[in-house]
């Protein structure tokens, strides 16, 4: 092998700096003996990694120190480099998985109070990535009573001969934010049978805990509203009257269907509020037989509390039923306009009919009118004003939304 043959095998990207390394080794003022790694391309075209160690041998010539020989060893370290790359890839995937899962690995020493550190652990605990909090500092941040409860659980696990423990604890980060942590631990026992250290993982499960709490509140809200809805249905059936059984059936089905539509909108919004525009559209378009030009709807976005949604659904159903039987929607040229606005905490809805048969003030209050007034008045504190104009009925509905919102105990 000649020097030229060795240089010919060196990877093109490594030629310049390996030559510079050789020159430093042969420089009498430097005499660098640092081992170095570089790549070669074998005659078969395979890339290999080489670890080179060398020392220049110097002799005096004409009063100057000159490198006359360069001796050393080369070692094929390809397998080691491949293992290092595999480990780096594995560690990168582990860091990615820990970060995506909001999870970190930890190790605590009972004797010294030492706690392992990592950017993932510090981020979960609310410390800077390069911080080194002690176990005592971390333990001091758990909510009152949490640490004592966890220690009791750990002692019970050890008493059963179980070296594994798991618990969820509320933790207060340095910025004051409250988080829920799931901690899993394996105890490492000392010669005296007592835990000398513990290793495990910690996960931030705040989102899951919040979702579970919202689900519990939602279940209680649904139970409460279902009871209210059944009471409304019972009252509707009791108050409904008609000339015969079939007519009575149609009245009851129509009113219950209005409540069902309101219930569906509330369910879609997880009982946080039904959209008023959708409620009006679904009620009116059913009576206008899909002829949208006969119906005009105007108003800003309003989310109705459950009680208000049920009341307005019933009121709109009574108005639409009357319009379809006797009013503007009973003739092809008739039209209905529904508009609303919110003045502070009061919702004002105006129902206006035009183009229908001539209208006269009824001599007595009918059942539909009674149902209309009953829907908004009473506990909800709403008002209903009817103006039987000759050009068509105008109805003004007012409802204080604050009174229709659920009380805290309802949740």
């Amino acid at each position: 092998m000649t020097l030229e043959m060795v240089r010919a095998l060196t990877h093109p990207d490594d030629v310049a700096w390996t030559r510079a390394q050789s020159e430093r080794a042969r420089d009498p003022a430097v005499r660098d003996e640092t081992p170095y790694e570089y790549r070669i391309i074998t005659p078969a075209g395979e890339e290999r990694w080489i670890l080179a160690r060398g020392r220049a041998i110097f002799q005096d010539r004409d009063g100057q120190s000159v490198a006359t020989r360069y001796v050393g060893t080369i070692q094929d370290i390809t397998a080691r480099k491949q293992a290092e790359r595999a480990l780096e890839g594995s560690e990168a995937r582990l860091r990615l998985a820990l970060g995506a899962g909001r999870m970190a690995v930890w190790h605590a020493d009972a004797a010294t109070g030492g706690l392992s550190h990592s950017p993932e652990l510090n981020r979960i605990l609310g410390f800077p990535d390069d911080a080194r909090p002690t176990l005592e500092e971390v333990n001091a941040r758990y909510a009152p009573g949490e640490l004592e409860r966890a220690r009791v659980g750990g002692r019970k696990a050890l008493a059963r001969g179980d070296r594994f423990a798991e618990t969820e604890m509320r933790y207060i980060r340095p910025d004051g934010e409250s988080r829920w942590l799931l901690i899993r631990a394996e105890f490492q026992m000392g010669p005296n049978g007592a835990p000398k250290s513990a290793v495990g993982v910690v996960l931030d499960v705040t989102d899951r805990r919040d979702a579970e709490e919202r689900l519990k509140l939602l279940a209680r809200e649904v139970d409460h509203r279902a009871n209210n809805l059944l009471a409304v249905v019972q009252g509707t059936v009791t108050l409904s009257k008609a000339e015969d059984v079939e007519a009575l059936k149609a009245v009851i089905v129509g009113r219950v269907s209005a409540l069902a539509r309101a219930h569906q909108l509330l369910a879609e919004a997880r009982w946080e509020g039904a959209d008023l525009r959708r409620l009006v559209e679904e009620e009116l378009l059913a009576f206008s037989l899909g002829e949208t030009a006969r119906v005009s709807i105007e108003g800003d976005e309003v989310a109705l509390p459950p009680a208000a949604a049920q009341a307005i659904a019933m009121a709109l159903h009574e108005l639409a039923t009357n319009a379809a039987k006797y009013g503007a929607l009973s003739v092809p040229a008739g039209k209905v306009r529904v508009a609303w606005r919110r003045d502070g905490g009061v919702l004002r809805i105006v129902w206006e009919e035009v183009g229908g048969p001539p209208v006269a003030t009824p001599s007595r209050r009918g059942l539909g009118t009674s149902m209309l007034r009953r829907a908004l008045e009473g506990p909800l504190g709403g008002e209903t004003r009817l103006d039987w104009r000759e050009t068509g009925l105008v109805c003004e509905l007012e409802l204080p939304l604050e009174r229709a919102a659920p009380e805290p105990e309802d949740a």
Side-chain angles (χ1 to χ4, degrees):
M1 291 288 292
T2 64
L3 182 59
E4 288 71 21
M5 293 172 64
V6 172
R7 287 176 175 171
L9 293 174
T10 302
H11 193 289
D13 293 342
D14 296 346
V15 169
W17 72 266
T18 53
R19 181 176 295 173
Q21 177 71 18
S22 175
E23 291 174 354
R24 286 194 300 272
R26 292 180 286 110
D27 186 341
V30 180
R31 305 192 182 198
D32 189 355
E33 299 181 4
T34 304
Y36 56 97
E37 301 172 357
Y38 67 97
R39 293 165 294 173
I40 66 169
I41 305 295
T42 69
E46 182 183 9
E47 181 179 296
R48 309 290 294 182
W49 276 93
I50 298 298
L51 171 62
R53 294 183 176 90
R55 174 184 297 176
I57 306 300
F58 294 88
Q59 292 181 352
D60 288 335
R61 289 184 179 178
D62 300 329
Q64 293 185 349
S65 182
V66 178
T68 58
R69 287 186 296 160
Y70 187 51
V71 299
T73 64
I74 59 172
Q75 179 184 359
D76 188 320
I77 59 169
T78 305
R80 192 199 78 191
K81 296 292 287 188
Q82 290 173 343
E84 289 176 352
R85 287 179 176 175
L87 180 60
E88 290 174 356
S90 177
E91 291 176 345
R93 289 191 295 272
L94 177 60
R95 288 193 298 270
L96 181 62
L98 291 175
R102 305 176 88 175
M103 176 172 56
V105 179
W106 58 271
H107 179 270
D109 191 305
T112 64
L115 179 66
S116 61
H117 305 93
S118 68
E120 294 83 13
L121 181 60
N122 284 353
R123 281 194 285 270
I124 289 177
L125 298 178
F127 292 97
D129 286 359
D130 58 351
R132 302 183 67 83
T134 64
L135 183 60
E136 182 180 3
E137 289 177 306
V138 173
N139 285 343
R141 305 216 64 85
Y142 288 107
E146 293 287 69
L147 194 59
E148 292 74 13
R149 179 174 59 82
R151 285 171 174 167
V152 169
R155 287 195 292 267
K156 289 182 178 179
L158 291 173
R160 296 191 304 267
D162 192 352
R163 294 188 298 112
F164 297 90
E166 178 180 310
T167 186
E168 293 185 7
M169 304 169 65
R170 194 159 63 89
Y171 175 84
I172 310 300
R173 292 161 54 105
D175 61 3
E177 183 183 8
S178 176
R179 309 293 293 179
W180 278 98
L181 305 181
L182 169 62
I183 301 173
R184 296 190 176 114
E186 178 185 0
F187 299 109
Q188 299 170 334
M189 313 305 292
N192 60 353
K196 66 175 183 178
S197 62
V199 63
V201 294
V202 57
L203 297 84
D204 188 324
V205 295
T206 306
D207 291 345
R208 192 206 74 199
R209 294 281 301 215
D210 290 347
E212 290 175 351
E213 188 63 27
R214 286 194 297 271
L215 187 59
K216 291 178 183 177
L217 293 174
L218 178 61
R220 290 200 292 267
E221 175 70 11
V222 170
D223 287 343
H224 176 76
R225 295 303 168 192
N227 289 334
N228 284 353
L229 182 60
L230 289 174
V232 173
V233 171
Q234 183 180 15
T236 299
V237 173
T238 302
L239 294 174
S240 296
K241 297 179 182 179
E243 297 177 355
D244 53 50
V245 174
E246 290 302 319
L248 177 61
K249 184 189 299 184
V251 170
I252 294 176
V253 168
R255 288 170 177 166
V256 173
S257 296
L259 290 173
R261 284 189 286 272
H263 184 88
Q264 179 62 32
L265 291 178
L266 289 167
E268 291 176 2
R270 300 179 67 87
W271 289 86
E272 293 180 358
D275 181 64
L276 175 57
R277 177 173 292 275
R278 280 196 60 190
L279 192 66
V280 174
E281 288 175 349
E282 294 194 7
E283 190 62 49
L284 279 184
L285 294 181
F287 284 89
S288 65
L289 301 179
E291 298 180 29
T292 55
R294 302 186 64 189
V295 175
S296 172
I297 301 175
E298 303 173 13
D300 296 331
E301 182 178 344
V302 176
L304 298 172
Q310 293 174 355
I312 292 174
M314 290 292 293
L316 291 173
H317 176 75
E318 295 304 321
L319 289 168
T321 300
N322 181 77
K325 288 183 177 180
Y326 316 110
L329 297 181
S330 67
V331 295
K335 296 182 179 181
V336 171
R337 175 179 175 270
V338 181
W340 64 85
R341 70 180 188 279
R342 186 168 182 170
D343 293 337
V346 178
L347 176 65
R348 306 182 191 278
I349 303 175
V350 177
W351 170 287
E352 184 177 2
E353 300 180 28
V354 294
V359 175
T361 304
S363 58
R364 62 182 181 84
R365 178 185 294 184
L367 181 61
T369 304
S370 299
M371 290 293 296
L372 177 61
R373 295 185 182 278
R374 184 183 179 88
L376 269 72
E377 298 174 7
L380 296 181
E383 291 186 27
T384 304
R385 291 187 291 273
L386 297 170
D387 185 359
W388 302 93
R389 300 177 185 175
E390 184 177 353
T391 55
L393 171 65
V394 175
C395 176
E396 296 183 9
L397 307 174
E398 290 188 4
L399 184 65
L401 294 180
E402 286 79 1
R403 293 188 60 175
E407 298 294 330
E409 61 268 22
D410 290 343

